[in-house]
Amino acid sequence: MSRYCLFFISFWLLGSFSYSQKKLASLSGKVVQNDGNPVPGVTLLLEGTSIGAVADIEGTYEIVGIAPGTYTIAISGIGYKKTFRRVDLPSSLQVKLNIVLEVQAKELDELVVYGKSEATEMREKAYAIQVVEAKEFKNISTDVNQILNKVSGVNIRQDGGLGSAFSLSLNGLTGNQVKTFIDGIPMDYFGSSLTLNNFPANIISGIEIYKGVVPIHLSSDALGGAINIITDKRPMSYIDASYSHGSFNTHRGAINGQLYNKKSGATFRLKSFYNYSDNDYKIDVNLLDVETGKLSDETTEVRRFHDSYESRMVWMEGGITHKRFADELMVGIMYSDNFNDLQQPPQALGTTAIPLGEVIQEEAKWITNLSYQKKGLIGGKMNVSSFLVYVNSQFNLKDTSSHRYDWMGNREENVHTTTGEVERKTLFQLDRSNLLGNINTEYEILPNHNVSANLSFNSMTLEGTDELHAQKNTQFSKPSTVNKSVAGLAYTTKLLSSKLHTTVFGKWYQFGLNTTETDYSGTEEIDFTSNASELGYGFASTYFVRPGFQLKASFESAYRFPETEELFGNGISILPNIFLEPEKSKNYNLGLRYNFKPTKNNNLQTDINLFLRDSEDFMRTETVGVRSTFENQASVLATGVDMNIQYMLKNNLRFSLNGTYQDLRNNGKWVKGREGSQPDPFYEDRIPNQPYLFGNLAASYNFSEVFSADDNFSISAIQNYVHEFFFNWPSLANSSTKAVIPTQFTSDLELVYTKNNGKYNLSFTAANILNERVFDNLNQQKPGRSFAIKARIFLTQNLN
Amino acid sequence: MNSRITKVLTISCITLFLTCIIGCGDDDEQQPFIGTTGDVQFVLGVEATSGADVLLPVNNLMEGIISPLGSGFEQPAWMSYINAGNTLITSGYATDNTLTGYRLVNGTLTNIGSLITELQTYNYVDVDDNTLLAVGVTRAGFEERIIYTIDKNDMSIRSRARTRIDERKEDGLVAWPTDLIVKGNKLFMSYYLLGAGEDDGVPAFATPNSNEARIAIYSYPELEFEKIITDNRTSDIGNYLSFTSLQEDEMGDIYSFSTSSLASGFTPTPTNPSGFLRIKNGATDFDDSYFFNFETASGGYKVNNAVYAGNGKAVVRMVKDDSGLWATYDPDAENPICSIAIADLYNQTVTKVTEVPLHGGEWGMAHLIHDGKVYINVSDVNGAFIYEVDPGTASAKKGAQLEGNWTKGILALKK
């Protein structure tokens, strides 16, 4: 590990001197609309290079470090006609160029551009990527999870209310098999304080969803798919504040802002949020008569009483952005914590007869980060980005109460004096520290030929105590270390007059684990070490048959090593399994994208993806009773299709339908450990406890100029469907005796009003409006009808 | 402007209406709970290869393949299967500690109801047509145990008796019951002393003080503690999750087995020999004149579990290799260590049943005594089979194969 650290330090020292010192030209100006109003967010690119800029909120832009010569500038912005300008740039000259753009009927079929260089954009285009623009969701009372749940191929299974556990599945892979990133940094290191479930939509500018094949710059060991959340980084000063209040005493506030000085490039960013909810939604329980042990035949509606959740986060970053030597050089510090009451053992199937009244878990984290990004080095041919992150977190889990509760919230004192509410008493403290680093470089060797390289490492140490629980105390008293590193190399090319984009890549993974094996009584203490290194590879290709018609194909042979929770459990209901083998998967994807626009006002857009995942040692949870462990399923074959159809009439009416069918089957012919002697009776059976048919339907209507010229009102109805599935292997036992997670069908309604072109926003959400009884993957009841109202204000100011 | 607002309202209302139309589909109807019809006689509790349990009615124990696929009752957790006469009871720690009763109703195995206990129960005795006793314990700490009196007809708790059985805080030891038997107006409860996990020197489940057989005696049906009887010729009676540590013969005498075995979960290994003790009919003390030293009689084997089959004969699962702690609790064993013998409790002789190969042990010993034969589970990494053991001839026949890991309960319900 130390050699990586050394490498990083050298990189950081050299980084700031490495930009080219030639006498270069620069280009600046202002982008305006036909009516003279400034156009922010427009991308300007010098064709044939990867140099470019994004216009700021005032429409001004500056492109620096241009080698002298004659260039064509491509100017593109959503809603505007793409424009080209020829410009002559002599040495050392600062050229002014103002640009007038023509407004065009809004087109949403193109990928959203985040001001990335052409190289980055091109590289990504080949992947089976779907991009969600957060703009349309920002005003609604949503977290990232709720946005993702509307994307085809994605299904989010959330256990309860705000802050509760969830798992995301993407094209047949679930949970940790799909990695999430924030601006390229793996999100799992932020822990439970910062997850898709509590990350407010305000902070983000977009979400990239990579299905099946993960580009090397998202360097981690994802098995098949990645989600990258991109936070807002535009060069401007702004403040974005929101507050929402909803059912179950839910409060969510977020304040985000940026101070940017154009002259010095000095930038200060703040991201912060506060979330609180009692989560005291009503559920239907069969009340227990403790005396007779009988559950009542009738259900009674009760309120959950020990399920509150609180989380806070403040992340401050300061540094320089949009300067010659760095597009971004930032140092940041983040603190976050969360506090969670547990109402029942999280892995229990259905509602427990005896609820928990005092079990809590909490986590606090300090994170420091350093990031550097520069595009257009060496005459515009090279892009570099890098980050270093140090994470220190403390997790506590407490189950020490001797009291017993019932669903009416009554407490009976000292019923079990020496045991906790779940099992043995536990007072578990786990300290975790991570050092993560990443360097990514891209280089244009020839026009239309790019290479990129990526190197990342993650070194983690875990150490914990439990004065009441011998097994956990032994397991964690000696520090456990987990080291992972991934190196990637990719080559990207554009052929056939840029109609065919192809990337080929290789990844080298290394994994090392040092930990302790113990037993129930905590007396055994055996050192356990495991090391592995693997080579992955793949390609991604896209072909533009004609404008609006695109074909995509990709393949990856991917590896994933077990994560902390999979190896070490969660301290309460997930038991450790330090013997987990890495997962391997060969992922094949085929996609088609078609945009049909028969008339000016009609637009039909279709996406279809076919996928196949051939996985070995597939990790999945096996639940027995109230506990579960992660196990390796020897072989799993997943095939499926996801599709998305969207129809737009003018810019007002929009219908979208997306659906996913994924068929995950056990592909192992033999019972594990008995290869060659005992055939697996569940061969070709559907993998249990996984939704396989789901989708959603949305209709929205948009009114502009309702009360004034600069306001907007929209109403949307969204319906979500998840077909029923078995909790256990489908062929086990008689199907009428089996635990089934019933079909879920919910309808949500969203109303959004914005004024002053998005400065002031007010939204209202009614979720599960028909108050359907819906259940999570463990048959625990989810919230019924709920309402939330959200106010958001977005103010910008140019400090120059 | 007004028309715009009207339009907003109209379209909003239409959207709302559509939401209702599309969303108000009829709810999925619950399928009726149906069992397997047919000529049900035997019921097995089996663990499938996935590790999940199924309660499975079967018609033939001796031929073919028994499969938990497509038939039987899916179980919510890792269960115990209790023979309670006219009722079959499953017990496990799923969402809660649940006991569920099954009976044959018009020839169909039917779930007759469940009850929930605050403590997980590990030992049971079927008292009569209406009553089952169950003992609930905590897995750690010094805490009251509860003896539940359960009404089998409506599967409810009739009463509770709280007892600490035999608590030795100064030694860090607590009593873990191993079996129950009711005789007349007495309840006999065998138990062993294990580490409560509260004392650093005595880890949970350690047995530093097990060179003694112990039985707690309670009045029945009042369930008031009367006394503890001990015998230091052998070790603690039974083992973790043994259901047959105390058994009554045709003369009303109670026989108990003691394992003195590391492989049966005793650590450190007791030094007294493994063997059988007796309590004479009507007595409330061990019979001083009787000790069957199994280790001597068998040539070095220790009892792991034993099932009384009648005429003084017991089917014994035994081990010679006693080197691995908990090694008998391994139905999928790669290196099986258990064998079967017939022990004559009256003549104190042991005859090995050579037809049964070395196999892995279980939690307890699944068994069915039917028409003078004893049906048992014989399993290891290579598969699971039912064996029919003839206690009279000390021979056995290999029966049906299980498409699963092992058979945890072999029961029969009378029609």
Side-chain angles (χ1 to χ4, degrees):
Chain A
M1 191 47 57
S2 59
R3 63 202 155 109
Y4 289 121
C5 297
L6 196 66
F7 180 53
F8 264 77
I9 292 162
S10 342
F11 167 80
W12 279 96
L13 288 173
L14 291 171
S16 42
F17 301 106
S18 63
Y19 67 94
S20 176
Q21 297 282 353
K22 268 191 288 177
K23 295 204 165 175
L24 302 173
S26 74
L27 183 68
S28 62
K30 190 164 183 168
V31 187
V32 294
Q33 217 165 264
N34 332 31
D35 60 5
N37 279 328
V39 184
V42 166
T43 309
L44 300 104
L45 281 167
L46 301 187
E47 291 223 305
T49 76
S50 33
I51 306 182
V54 180
D56 66 14
I57 196 76
E58 296 293 310
T60 56
Y61 73 93
E62 187 181 14
I63 308 171
V64 294
I66 312 168
T70 305
Y71 293 92
T72 303
I73 318 169
I75 306 112
S76 55
I78 293 163
Y80 298 93
K81 212 174 212 172
K82 195 166 181 175
T83 310
F84 299 91
R85 287 292 186 82
R86 255 188 111 66
V87 61
D88 212 23
L89 292 173
S91 182
S92 309
L93 200 77
Q94 296 191 332
V95 176
K96 278 254 179 225
L97 180 70
N98 291 336
I99 294 150
V100 180
L101 284 182
E102 249 182 83
V103 182
Q104 195 185 36
K106 207 175 176 190
E107 277 197 49
L108 282 167
D109 62 317
E110 251 314 302
L111 292 172
V112 178
V113 177
Y114 302 100
K116 285 181 183 157
S117 70
E118 179 79 14
T120 315
E121 196 189 328
M122 179 175 88
R123 184 196 57 206
E124 288 175 358
K125 269 189 177 171
Y127 294 95
I129 178 180
Q130 189 158 350
V131 178
V132 179
E133 200 183 353
K135 211 159 71 183
E136 47 193 299
F137 298 105
K138 274 193 179 184
N139 293 318
I140 305 164
S141 220
T142 48
D143 46 51
V144 178
N145 254 354
Q146 287 166 291
I147 300 175
L148 285 170
N149 212 17
K150 292 166 187 156
V151 174
S152 67
V154 176
N155 181 250
I156 307 256
R157 299 152 75 195
Q158 190 160 327
D159 287 353
L162 182 65
S164 57
F166 68 92
S167 93
L168 178 144
S169 91
L170 174 63
N171 279 7
L173 297 176
T174 306
N176 288 319
Q177 293 167 335
V178 180
K179 279 274 155 67
T180 40
F181 298 83
I182 302 175
D183 294 325
I185 301 171
M187 197 169 190
D188 31 350
Y189 306 109
F190 294 93
S192 57
S193 302
L194 193 57
T195 68
L196 297 176
N197 190 9
N198 62 19
F199 204 83
N202 291 32
I203 299 183
I204 62 175
S205 67
I207 307 171
E208 299 170 328
I209 298 147
Y210 294 89
K211 296 174 177 178
V213 174
V214 182
I216 64 159
H217 73 279
L218 295 178
S219 64
S220 186
D221 50 334
L223 191 67
I227 288 166
N228 188 23
I229 297 167
I230 295 148
T231 61
D232 209 330
K233 290 187 166 169
R234 283 174 294 170
M236 59 185 184
S237 293
Y238 68 90
I239 183 153
D240 183 342
S242 70
Y243 168 75
S244 89
H245 179 64
S247 305
F248 324 125
N249 194 24
T250 303
H251 301 264
R252 319 181 75 170
I255 298 177
N256 306 299
Q258 179 167 284
L259 284 173
Y260 171 67
N261 184 296
K262 196 175 170 185
K263 216 167 253 166
S264 63
T267 306
F268 173 79
R269 278 186 204 134
L270 169 77
K271 294 187 182 77
S272 64
F273 65 74
Y274 174 80
N275 294 326
Y276 178 85
S277 179
D278 282 337
N279 283 323
D280 59 342
Y281 57 89
K282 286 179 185 163
I283 57 169
D284 303 298
V285 298
N286 298 90
L287 292 176
L288 174 68
D289 180 340
V290 180
E291 214 41 51
T292 63
K294 295 301 279 184
L295 289 173
S296 62
D297 295 332
E298 308 285 309
T299 59
T300 307
E301 198 176 62
V302 299
R303 272 194 184 282
R304 292 168 77 90
F305 61 91
H306 182 67
D307 204 11
S308 72
Y309 172 79
E310 187 179 28
S311 65
R312 298 176 290 191
M313 191 271 273
V314 180
W315 187 356
M316 289 182 288
E317 283 181 292
I320 304 288
T321 61
H322 304 279
K323 294 309 275 183
R324 280 212 310 180
F325 60 93
D327 293 340
E328 172 157 329
L329 176 60
M330 298 285 271
V331 55
I333 185 157
M334 177 184 129
Y335 173 79
S336 72
D337 61 15
N338 68 7
F339 186 91
N340 209 351
D341 291 334
L342 297 183
Q343 180 74 80
Q344 73 165 70
Q347 304 296 315
L349 182 66
T351 306
T352 54
I354 302 171
L356 308 180
E358 294 179 36
V359 182
I360 54 157
Q361 62 183 30
E362 56 194 348
E363 188 171 44
K365 250 172 214 282
W366 282 100
I367 296 181
T368 43
N369 69 298
L370 184 63
S371 59
Y372 174 77
Q373 232 182 76
K374 179 63 197 161
K375 287 165 193 157
L377 290 167
I378 316 178
K381 289 187 190 310
M382 190 169 161
N383 296 339
V384 178
S385 66
S386 178
F387 64 77
L388 259 180
V389 177
Y390 180 72
V391 185
N392 196 304
S393 70
Q394 192 180 42
F395 172 80
N396 296 323
L397 179 107
K398 185 178 151 201
D399 177 12
T400 57
S401 167
S402 303
H403 313 312
R404 183 174 64 217
Y405 289 79
D406 67 21
W407 275 110
M408 307 310 284
N410 301 315
R411 176 164 102 162
E412 205 179 323
E413 306 258 327
N414 297 316
V415 178
H416 38 82
T417 47
T418 58
T419 46
E421 293 185 271
V422 179
E423 206 213 8
R424 291 192 272 177
K425 283 193 179 180
T426 176
L427 197 56
F428 182 45
Q429 274 191 22
L430 187 65
D431 288 307
R432 192 168 115 168
S433 62
N434 279 78
L435 182 67
L436 295 102
N438 177 292
I439 304 178
N440 190 63
T441 58
E442 299 160 13
Y443 185 71
E444 188 188 82
I445 33 177
L446 287 167
N448 294 334
H449 297 272
N450 266 30
V451 287
S452 57
N454 190 294
L455 181 65
S456 74
F457 73 87
N458 170 23
S459 171
M460 178 178 78
T461 308
L462 279 173
E463 192 172 1
T465 59
D466 195 325
E467 57 188 82
L468 299 176
H469 198 290
Q471 187 177 9
K472 277 189 257 178
N473 201 45
T474 309
Q475 176 76 61
F476 295 104
S477 60
K478 230 172 30 184
S480 293
T481 58
V482 184
N483 289 306
K484 282 184 197 181
S485 34
V486 182
L489 200 62
Y491 165 74
T492 304
T493 177
K494 273 195 212 172
L495 295 169
L496 308 173
S497 10
S498 293
K499 279 185 178 169
L500 180 68
H501 298 207
T502 304
T503 297
V504 291
F505 59 89
K507 294 178 189 175
W508 180 76
Y509 309 86
Q510 201 183 25
F511 174 76
L513 167 71
N514 281 299
T515 185
T516 308
E517 187 190 339
T518 186
D519 58 358
Y520 181 85
S521 60
T523 43
E524 213 170 74
E525 202 177 327
I526 304 164
D527 288 340
F528 179 78
T529 304
S530 152
N531 286 298
S533 59
E534 305 284 358
L535 193 66
Y537 52 89
F539 82 93
S541 193
T542 185
Y543 181 66
F544 295 88
V545 182
R546 53 189 164 83
F549 186 26
Q550 188 186 350
L551 290 173
K552 289 178 176 196
S554 56
F555 164 79
E556 181 174 3
S557 170
Y559 288 85
R560 185 176 80 84
F561 299 103
E563 293 293 330
T564 320
E565 186 177 83
E566 291 157 340
L567 289 169
F568 301 107
N570 66 354
I572 182 157
S573 50
I574 300 175
L575 303 180
N577 181 3
I578 57 173
F579 307 109
L580 279 173
E581 295 286 328
E583 295 180 288
K584 321 160 207 359
S585 187
K586 289 190 166 49
N587 303 326
Y588 304 83
N589 311 282
L590 200 60
L592 179 153
R593 186 182 178 89
Y594 183 61
N595 194 4
F596 179 62
K597 203 167 177 182
T599 67
K600 200 180 161 199
N601 287 331
N602 284 280
N603 189 1
L604 184 73
Q605 198 179 300
T606 321
D607 275 286
I608 298 174
N609 291 299
L610 298 171
F611 58 89
L612 188 150
R613 312 267 177 270
D614 186 358
S615 313
E616 279 174 56
D617 289 322
F618 185 91
M619 280 182 235
R620 62 179 195 90
T621 39
E622 183 73 54
T623 303
V624 176
V626 291
R627 293 181 203 89
S628 60
T629 46
F630 284 90
E631 304 282 351
N632 287 117
Q633 185 76 40
S635 177
V636 172
L637 186 69
T639 50
V641 57
D642 74 84
M643 48 155 273
N644 180 45
I645 300 170
Q646 189 168 300
Y647 172 75
M648 273 181 293
L649 180 65
K650 295 185 183 164
N651 272 325
N652 300 110
L653 182 66
R654 185 157 154 188
F655 279 108
S656 75
L657 169 72
N658 75 54
T660 304
Y661 176 75
Q662 55 184 38
D663 197 29
L664 276 80
R665 302 274 172 174
N666 173 21
N667 201 30
K669 291 195 171 75
W670 303 103
V671 173
K672 201 167 189 192
R674 293 174 229 172
E675 286 78 7
S677 71
Q678 196 174 355
D680 189 342
F682 300 104
Y683 174 57
E684 295 192 328
D685 221 5
R686 206 186 279 284
I687 298 295
N689 200 17
Q690 294 265 14
Y692 58 89
L693 179 65
F694 47 87
N696 57 59
L697 179 67
S700 66
Y701 197 89
N702 196 51
F703 309 87
S704 44
E705 299 171 26
V706 186
F707 299 105
S708 63
D710 62 355
D711 71 352
N712 193 73
F713 175 74
S714 70
I715 177 164
S716 319
I718 302 111
Q719 299 202 297
N720 209 334
Y721 177 84
V722 183
H723 192 68
E724 66 173 21
F725 52 93
F726 287 119
F727 178 69
N728 220 315
W729 289 99
S731 12
L732 185 78
N734 185 311
S735 60
S736 67
T737 70
K738 293 175 68 62
V740 174
I741 314 300
T743 294
Q744 302 175 48
F745 193 21
T746 54
S747 311
D748 299 346
L749 190 73
E750 290 164 355
L751 310 174
V752 184
Y753 180 74
T754 67
K755 183 125 177 60
N756 282 28
N757 291 326
K759 207 171 188 177
Y760 307 106
N761 310 276
L762 193 65
S763 72
F764 174 77
T765 310
N768 192 3
I769 195 165
L770 298 168
N771 209 19
E772 293 285 334
R773 286 182 61 178
V774 282
F775 299 89
D776 67 5
N777 49 337
L778 287 162
N779 258 346
Q780 296 177 12
Q781 197 175 343
K782 295 201 283 192
R785 185 186 297 124
S786 68
F787 303 100
I789 189 155
K790 178 176 178 179
R792 172 169 173 251
I793 184 163
F794 181 74
L795 301 172
T796 60
Q797 189 204 355
N798 201 328
L799 292 180
N800 291 316
Chain B
M1 190 58 69
N2 258 345
S3 70
R4 274 210 164 270
I5 293 166
T6 317
K7 197 172 153 196
V8 168
L9 289 173
T10 314
I11 294 184
S12 300
C13 287
I14 291 170
T15 316
L16 268 172
F17 178 71
L18 282 176
T19 310
C20 290
I21 296 288
I22 301 169
C24 296
D26 53 349
D27 292 333
D28 256 4
E29 278 195 21
Q30 281 289 309
Q31 283 190 25
F33 195 84
I34 50 162
T36 306
T37 53
D39 187 26
V40 175
Q41 191 176 358
F42 305 113
V43 185
L44 306 188
V46 303
E47 185 188 284
T49 54
S50 63
D53 274 19
V54 173
L55 183 70
L56 189 63
V58 291
N59 295 323
N60 192 335
L61 295 176
M62 292 306 291
E63 279 169 20
I65 289 175
I66 294 168
S67 174
L69 273 74
S71 80
F73 291 75
E74 184 176 279
Q75 297 295 305
W78 208 87
M79 308 302 276
S80 296
Y81 300 89
I82 304 140
N83 177 2
N86 56 352
T87 314
L88 184 166
I89 292 170
T90 62
S91 164
Y93 183 33
T95 308
D96 301 283
N97 307 304
T98 308
L99 297 180
T100 302
Y102 293 85
R103 283 185 183 171
L104 286 182
V105 178
N106 303 324
T108 304
L109 187 66
T110 307
N111 179 328
I112 59 157
S114 296
L115 66 91
I116 290 168
T117 55
E118 59 269 57
L119 295 181
Q120 190 176 0
T121 56
Y122 294 92
N123 295 98
Y124 314 89
V125 61
D126 185 43
V127 183
D128 56 44
D129 277 355
N130 303 315
T131 313
L132 178 91
L133 295 185
V135 187
V137 300
T138 57
R139 290 181 65 85
F142 300 103
E143 216 157 291
E144 280 184 328
R145 277 72 172 109
I146 298 175
I147 307 170
Y148 298 93
T149 304
I150 287 160
D151 187 323
K152 292 192 290 181
N153 296 313
D154 64 358
M155 288 305 291
S156 68
I157 301 167
R158 209 185 291 150
S159 63
R160 287 171 175 79
R162 290 167 203 277
T163 173
R164 294 198 177 251
I165 310 174
D166 185 358
E167 209 170 66
R168 307 198 183 178
K169 279 192 176 161
E170 65 282 6
D171 302 328
L173 296 171
V174 74
W176 184 280
T178 55
D179 201 13
L180 309 170
I181 204 166
V182 172
K183 261 185 71 64
N185 59 356
K186 301 281 182 235
L187 167 70
F188 294 78
M189 181 197 289
S190 60
Y191 64 90
Y192 74 113
L193 286 175
L194 49 72
E198 298 269 304
D199 187 331
D200 284 346
V202 188
F205 284 85
T207 58
N209 180 1
S210 282
N211 271 312
E212 197 167 50
R214 302 166 176 109
I215 289 176
I217 300 175
Y218 296 80
S219 64
Y220 183 82
E222 303 80 15
L223 298 174
E224 273 161 20
F225 176 78
E226 291 187 346
K227 66 171 179 177
I228 286 170
I229 60 171
T230 60
D231 195 306
N232 58 14
R233 288 172 291 177
T234 181
S235 68
D236 262 329
I237 294 169
N239 56 43
Y240 181 67
L241 293 196
S242 63
F243 294 113
T244 55
S245 315
L246 299 177
Q247 291 180 87
E248 196 177 346
D249 75 353
E250 295 86 333
M251 287 174 283
D253 298 341
I254 298 171
Y255 287 86
S256 70
F257 70 79
S258 298
T259 71
S260 287
S261 160
L262 186 73
S264 298
F266 285 85
T267 178
T269 313
T271 49
N272 285 341
S274 171
F276 291 87
L277 291 171
R278 178 166 73 188
I279 298 167
K280 295 288 276 182
N281 193 0
T284 55
D285 271 309
F286 288 107
D287 180 354
D288 284 341
S289 68
Y290 182 88
F291 174 59
F292 175 8
N293 185 328
F294 187 83
E295 281 192 64
T296 313
S298 65
Y301 284 90
K302 290 175 175 179
V303 179
N304 164 245
N305 270 292
V307 171
Y308 184 71
N311 302 318
K313 301 282 174 53
V315 178
V316 179
R317 176 170 283 147
M318 59 186 191
V319 291
K320 194 162 212 170
D321 172 6
D322 194 31
S323 58
L325 178 60
W326 298 108
T328 61
Y329 293 80
D330 193 1
D332 311 329
E334 276 178 48
N335 301 304
I337 56 166
C338 296
S339 39
I340 296 292
I342 304 300
D344 187 325
L345 301 178
Y346 300 159
N347 300 316
Q348 305 201 4
T349 57
V350 179
T351 315
K352 199 169 175 187
V353 179
T354 52
E355 290 85 355
V356 180
L358 278 176
H359 57 282
E362 304 164 32
W363 283 258
M365 182 170 173
H367 67 277
L368 172 69
I369 302 165
H370 183 70
D371 286 344
K373 303 287 197 310
V374 181
Y375 297 87
I376 59 169
N377 166 69
V378 173
S379 66
D380 63 14
V381 72
N382 296 314
F385 297 87
I386 303 287
Y387 271 73
E388 180 188 86
V389 181
D390 185 340
T393 60
S395 63
K397 270 197 288 198
K398 189 177 186 173
Q401 183 172 10
L402 175 71
E403 194 179 26
N405 288 342
W406 58 295
T407 304
K408 303 169 76 174
I410 310 172
L411 306 107
L413 283 173
K414 275 188 199 147
K415 285 191 185 176

